[in-house]
Amino acid sequence: MSRSVLIIAGPAWEPIDQVRRITNHSTGALGSYLAKEFSAHDWEVTLAYGESSSVSPPEVTRFLSFSNRESLETLLAAQSSQTFDLVLMLAAVSDFQVRAIRTDQGELALGASGKVPTSAGALTLELEPTAKILPQLATWYPSAKRVGWKYEVEGQQEDTIAAGKRQLQSNQTHACVVNGPAYGPGFHWLVKEIEQSVHIPTPKDLFDQLIDLI
């Protein structure tokens, strides 16, 4: 019986109006690479992929697309009837969403304007944090091994590893992958149950660690 993995990857965005959006620099490259590797090793791969990813996804068992955080949450909740051996949450979900839009002419109702005109003057956005998706994976996929990502751009390497450990403690995940400019080249692999903490130099080595988690 083949094993199954749900890979959640790529960027999410949040709307400002019907034309403009808040997004991030995620390309979906790592998620696409991992999906290809799992498929090559005969896993059943479900790839939930950000629609604005700049890297084309590989062929997988099942392909799903999301846009913003809300659509991703709806998509993942709908998949909760599926049984996965492994769930990888490496999507770059927006941390903030628009709470209010103000111009020189006053506050605008969210969603009321197809496009805020430049004639309205200076545009001020009030942002609020979005709800986190990672903690919900334990509810949706309780039997799966769940892996989160911690991407950091500021601080020292030891700070990023500490942040990864905090993520493990607070999100009911089994492992955490730390990366980003603050960590430096490669990845750091943290496993909660056996308190494993090691440097992973390449995406291929990371794939091998993910396989060993099952």
Side-chain angles (χ1 to χ4, degrees), residues 36-179:
K36 183 177 180 180
E37 285 294 306
F38 276 104
S39 294
H41 285 75
D42 297 324
W43 282 57
E44 293 184 359
V45 178
T46 298
L47 177 60
Y49 207 51
E51 65 177 23
S52 54
S53 299
S54 58
V55 173
S56 297
E59 291 189 10
V60 293
T61 310
R62 185 168 42 163
F63 180 83
L64 308 168
S65 179
F66 64 88
S67 55
N68 58 10
R69 187 210 62 81
E70 183 179 4
S71 75
L72 176 57
E73 183 177 48
T74 299
L75 181 156
L76 295 177
Q79 298 302 307
S80 62
S81 60
Q82 305 293 322
T83 299
F84 297 102
D85 296 293
L86 184 62
V87 175
L88 310 181
M89 178 58 182
L90 58 153
V93 180
S94 301
D95 293 319
F96 295 93
Q97 62 188 7
V98 177
R99 181 175 182 176
I101 301 175
R102 301 182 182 89
T103 71
D104 291 343
Q105 299 176 2
E107 185 169 334
L108 302 178
L110 292 179
S113 175
K115 179 183 178 183
V116 180
T118 56
S119 60
L123 182 68
T124 301
L125 302 179
E126 180 181 343
L127 305 180
E128 62 182 356
T130 57
K132 297 294 185 182
I133 285 181
L134 186 61
Q136 301 182 72
L137 297 181
T139 300
W140 293 326
Y141 315 110
S143 64
K145 293 287 187 179
R146 301 174 297 277
V147 182
W149 255 250
K150 191 64 177 174
Y151 183 90
E152 296 291 333
V153 299
E154 295 181 335
Q156 301 300 312
Q157 189 177 83
E158 57 268 25
D159 299 326
T160 68
I161 296 171
K165 291 179 178 178
R166 289 194 295 272
Q167 185 193 92
L168 272 177
Q169 294 298 323
S170 60
N171 289 278
Q172 299 185 65
T173 48
H174 298 89
C176 175
V177 178
V178 178
N179 68 329

